[in-house]
Amino acid sequence: MLTLPPVAPATGWRASARLPRDHYIRLDSNDYSVHPGAIGRPIEVVADLARVRALCDGKLVADHERIWGAHQSISDPEHVEAAKVLCSKRIGMLRPAPEPEVRCLADYDTALGLDTDGGVA
């Protein structure tokens, strides 16, 4: 056998991306939740044979056991609850639409030079 190299070979999987609005990352056809506080920010996804982790500014924002099945969504209950809180705050910030101005039809008759009898003035 040969001796080991002085530097260990790179193993696992690593990628950088911006966290989308739905706060899930995809790895091998599975979706893993990430804390929604990192939405829109760059994250680094690090995976090996056993774990899938996401880091934002060096802080761990997701840590899941890697799932080898296909087309599954893995959600951390803490991430789901945080998403609900952020969504409710956003809805509370939205202002209702102002009531439309309702004008009397006689104003249009006056503006067009029509009298109230239906004829032209």
Side-chain angles (χ1 to χ4, degrees):
M1 281 183 33
L2 298 173
T3 60
L4 291 174
V7 176
T11 58
W13 185 86
R14 183 178 294 264
S16 295
R18 190 168 298 276
L19 186 62
R21 205 178 237 186
D22 69 353
H23 70 88
Y24 281 81
I25 52 173
R26 177 159 289 177
L27 177 66
D28 291 339
S29 79
N30 292 321
D31 295 327
Y32 297 89
S33 69
V34 177
H35 194 281
I39 290 175
R41 298 174 65 194
I43 60 169
E44 184 176 14
V45 181
V46 180
D48 57 23
L49 295 177
R51 307 293 303 168
V52 175
R53 294 178 180 91
L55 304 161
C56 181
D57 295 331
K59 180 183 171 194
L60 187 68
V61 290
D63 186 10
H64 295 281
E65 180 181 347
R66 188 158 181 185
I67 304 297
W68 290 98
H71 309 295
Q72 297 186 32
S73 292
I74 297 84
S75 300
D76 185 330
E78 180 183 324
H79 299 163
V80 172
E81 188 61 33
K84 287 179 185 177
V85 169
L86 286 174
C87 185
S88 66
K89 284 182 183 178
R90 169 136 169 69
I91 289 173
M93 290 174 51
L94 297 176
R95 287 181 258 132
E99 291 292 324
E101 182 183 346
V102 179
R103 298 187 73 156
C104 177
L105 291 178
D107 292 345
Y108 294 102
D109 291 340
T110 303
L112 295 173
L114 302 173
D115 64 7
T116 56
D117 297 336
V120 177

